[in-house]
Structures are given as structure tokens and as C-alpha cells.
Amino acid sequence: MTKKHASNDGPTTEASSDLKGTFIMVMILGLLMVGSWFGAYWLFISR
Amino acid sequence: MHLHKYEKVWLTFGMASLVIFLLVIGFAAFWKGTHPQSHLETIDQNNVEAHDSFKPENLGLTEVADGKYKVNMVASAFNYDFGVDKDEKPVKTIRVPQGSTVLFTITSKDVVHGFQVAGTNVNMMVEPGHISRYEAVMKNKGEFTIVCNEYCGIGHHQMFGKVEVY
Ligand SMILES: [Cu+2]
């Protein structure tokens, strides 16, 4: 049995957490919201 | 507190959107005068004829100036009263030329109704005791159906009319 991962004594994983996927999803959601706002605004202007 | 670089980016994005959209609301309300369509005037719902706009002879379409029109209407369950034509028949279609400015004025005799000219920006709630107004420029040619979009009772689906822009 190896003790390789058992020696973690603190929240050291936080600093190196990979948020790239989260970042992409958050930005897609954000752009969807902003995009639909401008879509409704464009409808209002064009009618 | 440690914040990940990406977290800083999306928090900034989120807070900036909040501020921008709040500014847009403030701009629309205080600079452009966007308010609920019924905010200006109240009326006695049991005696709407007492108001000049809703006297039977003043209902329907009137040209007030070159390219400027007004339409006075009374909504009731389950009908829109647009006045009568020269043969004393109830008017169901409002015809205006393209590009004209039309002021729609409407009130209700009984319950809450809706007034939407589908396909245009004209869309208001019609409340008893209030006068709703909306001025619109009819930019696009076509036939637009007027519908009641507030459920008002068993005959709700029979409330309709037409605006024709030629
Ligand atoms: Cu109705």
C-alpha cells in the first residue's frame, strides 16, 4: 500500500483546481443571456 | 480570500451586466418616460361614456393631423368597441397608412382585459377604472390581429379585431 495521497494536510488542491470547463460554461450562459436581451431589443426596434 | 483568475473574470462579467441592465431600466424610465400604460388617468368604470374619449361618437379611428391618428376603444366582456361605420355597423378593422403615428386609448367597463396588436409593439393591460394609452409608429405594412391576452372569461377567445397598415 502506498501513502502517496494520504499526506495531504490542508486544502492544497484548491490552488491548482482546473476551472477551464466551468469558465467556458459560465461564459456560454452569460452570452446566451446577453444575446437574448439584444434579440428582444432588436424585435422591439424593428416592429 | 483567494480567488481563481477565472472566478474574477466571471464575477466582473456578472456584476457589470447587473449594473448595465439597471442603468438601461433607469434610462428607459427617467429619460424615455417608459411607464405602465395606465399610469396617467383614472375613470369611473360604470360611466365610461362621461369621458370625452369614450363617448359613442368619439370611438374608433380619427385623423388628428397629417399622419397622426388616434383610436379610442372600450373593452368589455367579450368585445372591443371601435365605434360604428357609416352604415351603423360595428367597426372591426382599423386601417391606417404605413408610417403613421397612432395613439391607442382604451379602457374597460368590467374586468381586466388585454389589448395586443400582435406583431407590433402595441401591447397593454386594460384595467377597469384606468385609461391605458400607447402611441406607436406603424412602421411595417400588413394585417395585424388584435387579441385579448388577459383571460377575461368564457368568451375570451371571441375578443379580437384587426389593424391593417397599407
Ligand atoms: Cu378579454
Side-chain angles (χ1 to χ4, degrees), chain B residues 113 148 150 152 156 159:
Chain B
H113 295 283
C148 177
E150 295 280 345
C152 55
H156 174 60
M159 288 187 75

Side-chain angles (χ1 to χ4, degrees), chain A:
Chain A
M1 288 292 124
T2 164
K3 280 188 170 182
K4 224 177 180 178
H5 303 287
S7 58
N8 273 345
D9 50 356
T12 48
T13 44
E14 213 183 290
S16 60
S17 54
D18 185 9
L19 294 180
K20 202 176 172 194
T22 321
F23 181 72
I24 291 169
M25 280 315 292
V26 165
M27 283 302 142
I28 288 174
L29 256 180
L31 292 177
L32 252 172
M33 287 178 198
V34 172
S36 42
W37 188 92
F38 277 100
Y41 184 65
W42 170 80
L43 258 184
F44 175 75
I45 292 300
S46 67
R47 282 176 161 191

